[in-house]
Amino acid sequence: MSTLAKPNHIGRKISRIRELRDMKQEALAQALGTNQQAISAIENSETIDEEKLKAIAEVLGVSVEGIKNFSEEAVLNIIGNTINNHDNASSFNYGCTFNPLDKVVELYERLVLAEKEKVEYLEKLLKGK
């Protein structure tokens, strides 16, 4: 079945992007201030209003257009084209297309930001008591 024949199921695309980001529904729900059941309902919906889609895109770290145009086939093609096997099934010659140190810095910055948000949330909870 070609991509053109498949319906543009936004919920399924959100689900796959979330899974590729190794994020659970509970984590997405917490970031959006909702519950896991609401995320499940969103991922089962064929359409989603723009406001929710913007919030979800921001949490997932992608653009709204990135969600709307997401194609699993394209992802698999990218992965397939980055592996040079040369008929040797026992080894992969993987050439990075990015600087690994940049990725470490990016992940570190995301971790620091997440820790700051956690501290702010906990401080807010303490002030509420």
Side-chain angles (χ1 to χ4, degrees), residues 7 11 24-25 27 38 40 47 55-56 59 61 67 75 88 92 100 113 129:
K24 295 190 179 278
Q25 284 183 338
S40 180
T47 59
I56 291 168
V59 171
I67 293 175
V75 171
N88 186 356
F92 288 107
L113 180 63
K129 288 188 175 185

Side-chain angles (χ1 to χ4, degrees), residues 17-24:
I17 293 169
R18 177 185 56 75
E19 290 167 355
L20 288 168
R21 293 247 185 240
D22 198 28
M23 180 185 281
K24 295 190 179 278

